């Protein structure tokens, strides 16, 4: 790792989306080392799960869109790091929720962070503001032009713009991280379903499987957040965060099957295939549904399975000292063990 001029990490952190996929991993990583970890969660049940992690964890229950809730979240947090991870990826009802949460919620977080005199703000963005790579060999860099994919991509692009503008005005000292496809412990049910379908040989390759995907283990993303919190070069910058080099879909599915077998789970040898046209049709249906305000997670995911979504993490390595410690096989094994230890059927 290069020699970096790091700042001292504050003894307090504010985390939105703390009961989410990244949030749960982050809380567990930082709570033993901080005097206070103030967490925004949606329900009392989520708060109960986090309060037992460590005595430093404090929970505020409510919606990121509620100004009164955010007033409480940002009470007496001057100088604290803020990690803004709250977002909607797959709306339960209407596409409008993407804008309301991802853009409106971000604006409120930025405003309350400014008022509170919070320290550095690390904003968790996405690959979706950039769409798909033009070829399997192309890699997004921080200088690539945005080409937002559907409603989620537009909402995250708009949120990035708000964060950048707030930094430029001097309201907050902000860093943007752009992770692609997550995997790792504390995964949502949709990821568990994916592992089940891969294990049973039911998850399809769309096209010939040579399209590439960047992926990020949640532990690697936590590492990036903590580097972004203290790296001197980070404020005002955006960074792609992934495990390392992207892999083609054939290799990803083969690695997941290898991880399942390594954890003692028999795997079907089947591998269904769909023509790339199936993904093209799904993308068009998804676009039509979203224009009418509706959303189908299955259609949306199928529409992306044909694409290469790959990034270059060179800037994060050079400026943050980002050095992801976990590769796909080890990370997938950790994900599978997490499920098995909790009695989650795969």
């Amino acid at each position: 790792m290069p020699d970096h001029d790091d700042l001292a990490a504050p003894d307090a952190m504010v985390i939105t989306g703390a009961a989410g996929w990244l949030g749960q991993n982050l809380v567990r990583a930082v709570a033993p080392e901080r005097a206070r970890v103030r967490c925004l969660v949606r329900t009392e049940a989520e708060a109960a799960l986090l309060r037992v992690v460590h005595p430093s964890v404090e929970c505020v229950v409510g919606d990121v869109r509620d100004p009164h809730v955010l007033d409480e979240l940002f009470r007496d947090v001057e100088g604290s790091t803020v990690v803004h991870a709250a977002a909607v990826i797959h709306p339960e009802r209407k596409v409008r929720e993407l804008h309301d949460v991802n853009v409106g919620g971000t604006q409120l977080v930025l405003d309350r962070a400014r008022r509170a005199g919070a320290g550095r703000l690390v904003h968790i963005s996405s690959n979706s503001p950039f769409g798909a790579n033009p070829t399997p060999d192309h890699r997004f860099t921080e200088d690539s032009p945005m080409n937002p994919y559907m409603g989620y991509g537009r909402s995250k692009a708009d949120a990035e713009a708000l964060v950048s503008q707030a930094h430029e005005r001097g309201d907050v000292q902000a860093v943007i991280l752009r992770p692609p496809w997550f995997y790792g412990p504390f995964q949502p049910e949709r990821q568990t379903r994916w592992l089940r379908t891969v294990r049973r040989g039911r998850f399809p390759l769309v096209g010939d499987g040579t399209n590439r995907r960047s992926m990020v283990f949640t532990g690697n993303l936590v590492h990036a957040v903590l580097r972004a919190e203290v790296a001197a070069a980070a404020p005002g910058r955006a960074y792609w965060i992934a495990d390392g080099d992207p892999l083609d879909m054939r290799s990803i599915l083969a690695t997941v099957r290898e991880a399942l077998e390594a954890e003692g789970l028999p795997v079907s040898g089947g591998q269904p295939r769909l023509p790339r046209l199936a993904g093209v049709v799904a993308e068009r249906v998804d676009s039509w549904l979203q224009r009418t305000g509706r959303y189908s997670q299955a259609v949306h995911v199928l529409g992306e399975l044909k694409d290469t979504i790959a990034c270059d993490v060179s800037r994060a390595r050079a400026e943050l000292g980002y050095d992801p410690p976990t590769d796909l096989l080890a990370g997938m094994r950790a994900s599978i063990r997490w499920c098995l230890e909790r009695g989650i059927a795969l």
Side-chain angles (χ1 to χ4, degrees):
M1 182 184 297
D3 183 22
H4 291 271
D5 293 326
D6 293 343
L7 306 177
D11 64 1
M13 180 178 282
V14 177
I15 305 172
T16 70
W21 200 348
L22 168 60
Q24 292 217 42
N25 285 277
L26 181 60
V27 170
R28 285 164 172 80
V30 302
E33 310 297 330
R34 308 287 170 119
R36 173 191 289 181
V37 181
R38 180 79 58 78
C39 298
L40 177 64
V41 297
R42 293 172 298 175
T43 67
E44 284 291 349
E46 291 178 344
L49 288 173
L50 290 182
R51 287 188 183 113
V52 300
V53 170
H54 194 271
S56 66
V57 175
E58 306 171 0
C59 290
V60 174
V61 178
D63 195 304
V64 73
R65 295 168 291 186
D66 186 333
H68 300 293
V69 168
L70 290 193
D71 286 342
E72 176 63 20
L73 182 69
F74 282 94
R75 179 177 51 82
D76 299 329
V77 297
E78 184 176 0
S80 300
T81 297
V82 178
V83 180
H84 179 40
V88 170
I89 300 174
H90 299 291
E92 294 180 4
R93 297 179 179 85
K94 298 294 185 180
V95 174
R96 177 71 192 184
E97 187 180 1
L98 292 168
H99 183 273
D100 291 348
V101 174
N102 300 349
V103 184
T106 297
Q107 181 63 76
L108 283 172
V109 167
L110 291 167
D111 178 66
R112 282 354 186 238
R114 176 187 61 81
R115 293 188 192 182
R120 188 171 296 187
L121 183 143
V122 181
H123 174 70
I124 309 301
S125 187
S126 167
N127 58 269
S128 288
F130 295 82
N133 301 81
T135 68
D137 295 325
H138 182 266
R139 304 286 178 272
F140 289 126
T141 70
E142 287 77 6
D143 298 321
S144 297
M146 285 190 175
N147 181 28
Y149 186 76
M150 304 287 181
Y152 177 66
R154 290 189 291 272
S155 72
K156 295 299 280 186
D158 289 346
E160 279 203 25
L162 291 176
V163 173
S164 296
Q165 291 161 11
H167 177 86
E168 290 166 3
R169 289 194 303 266
D171 294 346
V172 295
Q173 192 182 75
V175 186
I176 296 170
L177 301 184
R178 296 169 179 155
W181 184 356
F182 285 20
Y183 65 100
F186 301 98
Q187 65 194 32
E189 173 59 24
R190 66 178 185 273
Q191 182 76 357
T192 303
R193 289 196 302 269
W194 179 69
L195 288 175
R196 290 190 192 115
T197 58
V198 174
R199 181 190 170 198
R200 289 162 174 73
R202 297 174 183 171
F203 188 78
L205 274 178
V206 178
D208 62 7
T210 59
N211 58 308
R212 296 177 180 269
R213 299 297 290 264
S214 287
M215 302 181 71
V216 63
F217 179 58
T218 47
N220 292 342
L221 182 52
V222 167
H223 165 61
V225 170
L226 298 181
R227 292 302 310 151
E229 178 187 26
V230 299
R237 302 284 270 172
Y239 300 94
W240 286 99
I241 303 296
D243 291 343
D245 293 330
L247 299 172
D248 63 57
M249 281 300 299
R250 293 175 303 188
S251 299
I252 290 170
L253 296 180
T255 302
V256 175
R257 288 192 288 266
E258 182 182 354
L260 288 160
E261 290 178 332
E263 295 301 323
L265 297 173
V267 176
S268 168
Q271 180 57 75
R273 291 177 177 267
L274 291 174
R276 191 177 186 279
L277 180 61
V280 173
V281 171
E283 181 179 349
R284 291 176 180 173
V285 172
D286 185 19
S287 179
W288 175 77
L289 285 172
Q290 292 200 33
R291 286 198 303 272
T292 64
R294 294 173 290 172
Y295 186 85
S296 166
Q297 181 176 323
V299 172
H300 182 80
V301 170
L302 178 58
E304 286 190 308
L305 285 177
K306 66 186 185 308
D307 295 326
T308 287
I309 304 175
C311 64
D312 182 337
V313 299
S314 297
R315 179 186 284 183
R317 290 184 184 276
E319 296 185 6
L320 299 183
Y322 173 64
D323 185 20
T326 305
D327 65 12
L328 181 62
L329 178 60
M332 282 295 174
R333 291 191 65 175
S335 305
I336 293 160
R337 285 196 301 273
W338 179 85
C339 291
L340 297 179
E341 288 165 359
R342 285 155 180 77
I344 299 172
L346 294 175

